[in-house]
Coordinates of all heavy atoms in Angstrom, one line a residue:
G1 N -15.3 16.3 -93.4 CA -14.5 15.2 -94.0 C -15.1 13.8 -93.7 O -14.4 12.8 -93.9
I2 N -16.4 13.8 -93.4 CA -17.1 12.5 -93.2 C -18.2 12.4 -94.2 O -19.1 13.3 -94.2 CB -17.6 12.5 -91.7 CG1 -16.5 12.6 -90.7 CG2 -18.4 11.1 -91.5 CD1 -17.1 12.8 -89.3
R3 N -18.1 11.4 -95.0 CA -19.2 11.2 -96.0 C -19.2 9.7 -96.4 O -18.2 9.1 -96.6 CB -18.8 12.1 -97.2 CG -20.0 12.3 -98.2 CD -20.9 13.3 -97.6 NE -21.9 13.6 -98.7 CZ -23.1 14.0 -98.4 NH1 -23.5 14.1 -97.2 NH2 -23.9 14.3 -99.3
K4 N -20.4 9.2 -96.6 CA -20.6 7.8 -97.0 C -20.3 7.8 -98.5 O -20.5 8.8 -99.3 CB -22.0 7.4 -96.8 CG -22.5 7.2 -95.4 CD -23.9 6.8 -95.3 CE -24.4 6.7 -93.9 NZ -25.8 6.3 -93.8
R5 N -19.7 6.7 -99.0 CA -19.3 6.5 -100.4 C -20.5 6.7 -101.3 O -20.4 7.4 -102.3 CB -18.7 5.1 -100.6 CG -18.2 5.0 -102.0 CD -17.5 3.6 -102.2 NE -16.5 3.4 -101.2 CZ -15.2 3.6 -101.5 NH1 -14.8 3.9 -102.8 NH2 -14.2 3.4 -100.6
K6 N -21.7 6.2 -100.9 CA -22.9 6.3 -101.8 C -23.3 7.8 -101.9 O -23.6 8.3 -103.0 CB -24.1 5.5 -101.2 CG -25.3 5.7 -102.0 CD -26.5 5.1 -101.3 CE -27.8 5.3 -102.0 NZ -28.2 6.7 -102.2
D7 N -23.2 8.5 -100.8 CA -23.6 10.0 -100.8 C -22.6 10.7 -101.7 O -22.9 11.7 -102.4 CB -23.6 10.5 -99.4 CG -24.8 10.0 -98.6 OD1 -25.8 9.6 -99.2 OD2 -24.7 10.0 -97.4
Y8 N -21.3 10.3 -101.6 CA -20.3 11.0 -102.4 C -20.6 10.8 -103.9 O -20.5 11.8 -104.6 CB -18.9 10.4 -102.0 CG -17.8 10.8 -103.0 CD1 -17.3 12.1 -103.0 CD2 -17.4 10.0 -104.0 CE1 -16.4 12.5 -104.0 CE2 -16.4 10.3 -104.9 CZ -15.9 11.6 -104.9 OH -15.0 12.0 -105.8
H9 N -20.9 9.6 -104.3 CA -21.2 9.3 -105.7 C -22.5 10.1 -106.1 O -22.5 10.6 -107.2 CB -21.3 7.8 -105.9 CG -20.0 7.1 -105.9 ND1 -19.0 7.4 -106.7 CD2 -19.6 6.2 -105.0 CE1 -17.9 6.6 -106.4 NE2 -18.3 5.9 -105.4
D10 N -23.5 10.1 -105.2 CA -24.7 10.9 -105.6 C -24.3 12.4 -105.7 O -24.8 13.0 -106.7 CB -25.7 10.7 -104.5 CG -26.3 9.3 -104.4 OD1 -26.2 8.6 -105.4 OD2 -26.9 9.0 -103.4
D11 N -23.5 12.9 -104.9 CA -23.1 14.3 -105.0 C -22.3 14.5 -106.3 O -22.5 15.5 -107.0 CB -22.3 14.7 -103.8 CG -23.1 14.9 -102.5 OD1 -24.3 14.9 -102.6 OD2 -22.4 14.9 -101.4
A12 N -21.4 13.6 -106.6 CA -20.6 13.8 -107.8 C -21.4 13.8 -109.0 O -21.0 14.5 -110.0 CB -19.5 12.7 -107.8
S13 N -22.5 13.1 -109.0 CA -23.3 13.1 -110.2 C -24.4 14.2 -110.3 O -24.9 14.4 -111.3 CB -24.0 11.7 -110.4 OG -24.9 11.5 -109.3
S14 N -24.7 14.8 -109.1 CA -25.8 15.8 -109.1 C -25.4 17.2 -108.9 O -26.2 18.1 -109.1 CB -26.9 15.4 -108.1 OG -26.4 15.5 -106.8
L15 N -24.2 17.4 -108.4 CA -23.8 18.8 -108.1 C -23.1 19.5 -109.3 O -22.4 18.9 -110.0 CB -22.8 18.8 -106.9 CG -23.4 18.3 -105.6 CD1 -22.2 18.3 -104.5 CD2 -24.5 19.2 -105.1
D16 N -23.4 20.8 -109.4 CA -22.8 21.6 -110.4 C -21.4 22.1 -109.8 O -21.4 22.7 -108.8 CB -23.7 22.8 -110.7 CG -23.1 23.8 -111.7 OD1 -22.3 23.3 -112.5 OD2 -23.5 24.9 -111.7
P17 N -20.3 21.9 -110.5 CA -19.0 22.3 -110.0 C -18.9 23.8 -109.7 O -18.3 24.1 -108.7 CB -18.1 21.9 -111.1 CG -18.8 20.8 -111.9 CD -20.2 21.1 -111.8
K18 N -19.5 24.6 -110.5 CA -19.4 26.0 -110.3 C -20.1 26.4 -108.9 O -19.6 27.2 -108.2 CB -20.1 26.8 -111.4 CG -19.3 26.7 -112.7 CD -20.0 27.4 -113.8 CE -19.3 27.1 -115.1 NZ -20.1 27.6 -116.3
A19 N -21.3 25.8 -108.7 CA -22.0 26.0 -107.4 C -21.2 25.5 -106.2 O -21.2 26.2 -105.2 CB -23.4 25.4 -107.5
V20 N -20.5 24.4 -106.4 CA -19.7 23.9 -105.3 C -18.6 24.8 -105.0 O -18.2 25.1 -103.8 CB -19.2 22.4 -105.7 CG1 -18.2 22.0 -104.6 CG2 -20.4 21.5 -105.8
I21 N -17.9 25.4 -106.0 CA -16.8 26.3 -105.8 C -17.3 27.5 -105.1 O -16.7 28.0 -104.1 CB -16.2 26.6 -107.2 CG1 -15.4 25.4 -107.7 CG2 -15.2 27.8 -107.0 CD1 -14.9 25.6 -109.1
V22 N -18.4 28.1 -105.5 CA -19.0 29.3 -104.9 C -19.3 29.0 -103.4 O -19.0 29.8 -102.5 CB -20.2 29.8 -105.7 CG1 -20.9 30.9 -104.9 CG2 -19.7 30.3 -107.0
A23 N -20.0 27.9 -103.2 CA -20.4 27.5 -101.8 C -19.2 27.3 -101.0 O -19.2 27.6 -99.8 CB -21.3 26.3 -101.8
G24 N -18.1 26.6 -101.5 CA -16.9 26.4 -100.8 C -16.2 27.7 -100.4 O -15.7 27.8 -99.3
V25 N -16.1 28.6 -101.3 CA -15.5 29.9 -101.0 C -16.2 30.7 -100.0 O -15.7 31.2 -99.0 CB -15.3 30.7 -102.3 CG1 -14.9 32.1 -102.0 CG2 -14.3 30.1 -103.3
L26 N -17.6 30.7 -100.1 CA -18.4 31.4 -99.1 C -18.3 30.7 -97.8 O -18.2 31.4 -96.7 CB -19.8 31.4 -99.6 CG -20.1 32.4 -100.7 CD1 -21.6 32.3 -101.2 CD2 -19.8 33.8 -100.4
G27 N -18.3 29.4 -97.7 CA -18.2 28.6 -96.5 C -16.8 28.9 -95.8 O -16.8 29.1 -94.6
G28 N -15.8 28.9 -96.6 CA -14.4 29.2 -96.1 C -14.3 30.6 -95.6 O -13.7 30.8 -94.5

């Protein structure tokens, strides 16, 4: 839950939503 605003915007523009969902489910 800790993230810099710039890093958040970089992630939002470069991450694939499907990959984030898969990584989130696996991480959970």
Side-chain angles (χ1 to χ4, degrees):
I2 302 172
R3 196 75 171 150
K4 293 180 183 177
R5 184 177 302 260
K6 179 190 175 302
D7 292 335
Y8 168 75
H9 289 297
D10 291 343
D11 289 344
S13 64
S14 67
L15 294 176
D16 179 24
K18 293 175 189 172
V20 171
I21 291 170
V22 170
V25 169
L26 289 175

